[in-house]
Protein backbone atom coordinates (compact mmCIF):
# COMPACT_ATOMS: atom_id res chain seq x y z
CA UNK A 1 0.00 0.00 0.00
CA UNK A 2 2.87 2.39 0.81
CA UNK A 3 4.33 1.76 -2.64
CA UNK A 4 1.04 2.67 -4.32
CA UNK A 5 0.75 5.90 -2.30
CA UNK A 6 4.39 6.80 -3.03
CA UNK A 7 3.93 6.03 -6.73
CA UNK A 8 0.74 8.16 -6.85
CA UNK A 9 2.51 11.06 -5.15
CA UNK A 10 5.42 10.85 -7.61
CA UNK A 11 3.04 10.87 -10.58
CA UNK A 12 1.26 13.89 -9.09
CA UNK A 13 4.55 15.77 -8.75
CA UNK A 14 5.56 14.93 -12.33
CA UNK A 15 2.17 16.03 -13.64
CA UNK A 16 2.37 19.33 -11.73
CA UNK A 17 5.88 20.03 -13.02
CA UNK A 18 4.88 19.19 -16.60
CA UNK A 19 1.75 21.39 -16.42
CA UNK A 20 3.72 24.36 -15.08
CA UNK A 21 6.36 24.10 -17.80
CA UNK A 22 3.73 23.75 -20.54
CA UNK A 23 1.98 26.93 -19.38
CA UNK A 24 5.10 29.02 -18.82
CA UNK A 25 5.97 31.46 -21.61
CA UNK A 26 8.68 30.17 -23.88
CA UNK A 27 12.05 31.90 -23.96
CA UNK A 28 11.85 33.67 -27.33
CA UNK A 29 15.62 33.65 -27.72
CA UNK A 30 15.64 29.83 -27.75
CA UNK A 31 13.10 29.34 -30.54
CA UNK A 32 14.10 27.95 -33.95
CA UNK A 33 12.93 31.23 -35.51
CA UNK A 34 14.52 33.94 -33.38
CA UNK A 35 12.82 37.28 -32.69
CA UNK A 36 13.85 40.36 -34.64
CA UNK A 37 12.61 43.91 -35.07
CA UNK A 38 12.81 47.01 -37.21
CA UNK A 39 12.11 50.54 -36.00
CA UNK A 40 12.30 53.91 -37.69
CA UNK A 41 10.93 57.42 -37.30
CA UNK A 42 10.05 58.83 -40.67
CA UNK A 43 10.76 62.35 -41.88
CA UNK A 44 7.12 63.19 -41.09
CA UNK A 45 7.42 61.98 -37.47
CA UNK A 46 5.71 58.60 -37.82
CA UNK A 47 7.36 55.91 -35.71
CA UNK A 48 7.09 52.49 -37.31
CA UNK A 49 7.89 49.43 -35.18
CA UNK A 50 7.85 45.87 -36.48
CA UNK A 51 8.41 42.89 -34.15
CA UNK A 52 8.53 39.47 -35.74
CA UNK A 53 9.90 35.94 -35.65
CA UNK A 54 12.53 35.48 -38.36
CA UNK A 55 12.12 32.08 -40.04
CA UNK A 56 14.77 30.50 -42.28
CA UNK A 57 14.21 29.34 -45.83
CA UNK A 58 16.16 26.09 -45.16
CA UNK A 59 16.26 25.06 -48.82
CA UNK A 60 12.49 25.31 -49.28
CA UNK A 61 10.75 27.14 -52.12
CA UNK A 62 8.80 30.26 -51.12
CA UNK A 63 5.35 30.02 -52.63
CA UNK A 64 5.39 26.23 -52.69
CA UNK A 65 3.50 23.99 -50.29
CA UNK A 66 6.16 24.22 -47.56
CA UNK A 67 6.40 27.95 -46.79
CA UNK A 68 4.45 31.10 -47.69
CA UNK A 69 2.18 29.21 -50.09
CA UNK A 70 0.96 31.30 -53.03
CA UNK A 71 -2.68 32.30 -52.67
CA UNK A 72 -2.96 31.44 -48.95
CA UNK A 73 -2.79 33.72 -45.91
CA UNK A 74 0.66 33.59 -44.31
CA UNK A 75 1.59 35.05 -40.93
CA UNK A 76 4.55 36.96 -42.46
CA UNK A 77 6.99 35.69 -39.88
CA UNK A 78 7.10 32.91 -37.33
CA UNK A 79 5.85 32.15 -33.83
CA UNK A 80 3.55 34.93 -32.55
CA UNK A 81 1.90 37.18 -35.11
CA UNK A 82 4.19 39.86 -36.54
CA UNK A 83 3.29 43.16 -34.85
CA UNK A 84 3.22 46.35 -36.93
CA UNK A 85 2.86 49.50 -34.80
CA UNK A 86 2.47 53.15 -35.82
CA UNK A 87 2.12 56.16 -33.55
CA UNK A 88 0.08 58.34 -35.97
CA UNK A 89 -2.65 57.88 -38.55
CA UNK A 90 -1.01 57.09 -41.89
CA UNK A 91 -1.70 56.04 -45.42
CA UNK A 92 -0.34 52.71 -46.57
CA UNK A 93 -0.09 52.59 -50.35
CA UNK A 94 -2.51 55.54 -50.34
CA UNK A 95 -5.12 53.87 -48.08
CA UNK A 96 -5.81 55.13 -44.53
CA UNK A 97 -4.67 53.18 -41.45
CA UNK A 98 -5.29 54.52 -37.92
CA UNK A 99 -2.50 54.77 -35.36
CA UNK A 100 -2.13 51.61 -33.30
CA UNK A 101 -0.88 48.03 -33.25
CA UNK A 102 -1.75 45.46 -35.89
CA UNK A 103 -0.77 41.92 -36.72
CA UNK A 104 0.78 41.69 -40.16
CA UNK A 105 -0.26 38.92 -42.51
CA UNK A 106 0.12 38.51 -46.25
CA UNK A 107 -1.09 36.50 -49.18
CA UNK A 108 1.98 35.64 -51.26
CA UNK A 109 1.82 35.61 -55.03
CA UNK A 110 4.27 35.14 -57.83
CA UNK A 111 3.97 38.76 -59.02
CA UNK A 112 1.95 40.46 -56.25
CA UNK A 113 1.51 40.08 -52.49
CA UNK A 114 -1.48 41.23 -50.47
CA UNK A 115 -0.36 42.88 -47.23
CA UNK A 116 -2.92 42.55 -44.44
CA UNK A 117 -3.12 44.69 -41.29
CA UNK A 118 -5.26 42.82 -38.77
CA UNK A 119 -6.72 44.45 -35.63
CA UNK A 120 -5.91 41.47 -33.38
CA UNK A 121 -2.19 41.90 -32.79
CA UNK A 122 -1.54 40.01 -29.54
CA UNK A 123 -1.99 36.43 -30.75
CA UNK A 124 -0.22 33.36 -32.08
CA UNK A 125 0.63 33.84 -35.74
CA UNK A 126 -1.65 31.13 -37.09
CA UNK A 127 -4.80 32.51 -35.38
CA UNK A 128 -5.81 34.72 -38.31
CA UNK A 129 -9.42 35.92 -38.61
CA UNK A 130 -10.29 37.88 -41.77
CA UNK A 131 -13.20 39.60 -39.99
CA UNK A 132 -10.59 41.52 -37.95
CA UNK A 133 -8.78 42.99 -40.97
CA UNK A 134 -8.27 46.76 -40.77
CA UNK A 135 -6.64 47.15 -44.19
CA UNK A 136 -5.44 45.16 -47.20
CA UNK A 137 -3.13 46.51 -49.89
CA UNK A 138 -1.70 44.79 -52.93
CA UNK A 139 1.93 45.41 -53.89
CA UNK A 140 4.23 44.15 -56.61
CA UNK A 141 6.79 41.51 -55.68
CA UNK A 142 10.41 42.23 -56.45
CA UNK A 143 13.45 40.05 -56.80
CA UNK A 144 15.87 40.47 -53.89
CA UNK A 145 19.33 41.76 -54.75
CA UNK A 146 20.85 38.93 -52.70
CA UNK A 147 19.51 35.72 -51.20
CA UNK A 148 18.34 36.25 -47.60
CA UNK A 149 18.18 33.05 -45.52
CA UNK A 150 16.26 34.58 -42.58
CA UNK A 151 13.25 36.85 -43.07
CA UNK A 152 14.42 40.46 -42.63
CA UNK A 153 12.23 43.58 -42.31
CA UNK A 154 13.61 47.07 -42.90
CA UNK A 155 12.02 50.52 -42.70
CA UNK A 156 13.47 53.78 -43.98
CA UNK A 157 12.99 57.44 -42.96
CA UNK A 158 11.08 57.95 -46.22
CA UNK A 159 8.45 55.44 -44.97
CA UNK A 160 9.37 52.52 -47.19
CA UNK A 161 8.79 49.25 -45.33
CA UNK A 162 10.14 46.09 -46.93
CA UNK A 163 10.96 42.52 -46.16
CA UNK A 164 13.36 40.21 -47.91
CA UNK A 165 13.27 36.44 -47.67
CA UNK A 166 14.98 34.00 -49.96
CA UNK A 167 15.03 35.69 -53.35
CA UNK A 168 11.81 37.65 -52.71
CA UNK A 169 11.55 41.33 -51.83
CA UNK A 170 8.20 42.88 -50.86
CA UNK A 171 7.78 46.58 -50.09
CA UNK A 172 5.02 49.03 -49.21
CA UNK A 173 4.93 52.78 -48.60
CA UNK A 174 3.78 54.35 -45.32
CA UNK A 175 3.06 58.13 -45.38
Amino acid sequence: MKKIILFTMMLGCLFTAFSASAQAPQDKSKRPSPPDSAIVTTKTGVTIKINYGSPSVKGRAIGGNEIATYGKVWRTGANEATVFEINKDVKVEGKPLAAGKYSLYSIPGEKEWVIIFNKTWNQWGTNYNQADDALRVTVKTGKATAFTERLKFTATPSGLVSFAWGDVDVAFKVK
Side-chain angles (χ1 to χ4, degrees):
M1 186 65 164
K2 288 182 180 179
K3 287 183 180 178
I4 292 173
I5 292 171
L6 181 61
F7 180 72
T8 304
M9 288 174 57
M10 288 175 60
L11 279 177
C13 289
L14 285 172
F15 178 76
T16 302
F18 176 75
S19 294
S21 69
Q23 294 174 359
Q26 295 180 348
D27 180 354
K28 291 181 182 180
S29 66
K30 304 242 188 276
R31 292 187 177 171
S33 297
D36 204 348
S37 63
I39 185 169
V40 70
T41 300
T42 67
K43 295 173 186 172
T44 59
V46 176
T47 299
I48 301 169
K49 296 179 187 177
I50 306 163
N51 293 305
Y52 61 101
S54 179
S56 292
V57 174
K58 295 183 184 174
R60 301 171 291 180
I62 294 172
N65 291 329
E66 294 179 298
I67 54 172
T69 303
Y70 289 158
K72 293 188 178 182
V73 173
W74 176 55
R75 62 177 142 180
T76 318
N79 309 321
E80 293 86 4
T82 293
V83 178
F84 180 89
E85 182 178 2
I86 47 177
N87 67 331
K88 295 181 178 183
D89 294 354
V90 298
K91 288 194 176 185
V92 178
E93 292 294 313
K95 295 181 180 180
L97 184 65
K101 288 185 181 182
Y102 300 91
S103 55
L104 190 66
Y105 290 88
S106 58
I107 301 174
E110 196 170 339
K111 296 180 182 178
E112 295 180 328
W113 282 43
V114 177
I115 307 299
I116 304 167
F117 299 86
N118 189 276
K119 296 174 200 169
T120 308
W121 61 271
N122 191 15
Q123 66 182 351
W124 191 252
T126 56
N127 292 342
Y128 172 75
N129 182 352
Q130 183 175 349
D132 294 332
D133 287 357
L135 176 65
R136 286 180 171 218
V137 296
T138 301
V139 296
K140 300 284 184 200
T141 304
K143 183 127 174 104
T145 55
F147 185 86
T148 305
E149 177 63 27
R150 287 201 174 277
L151 176 69
K152 184 67 178 170
F153 275 89
T154 57
T156 67
S158 68
L160 184 67
V161 176
S162 63
F163 58 90
W165 196 33
D167 60 356
V168 175
D169 187 57
V170 179
F172 55 92
K173 189 75 172 163
V174 177
K175 286 187 176 186

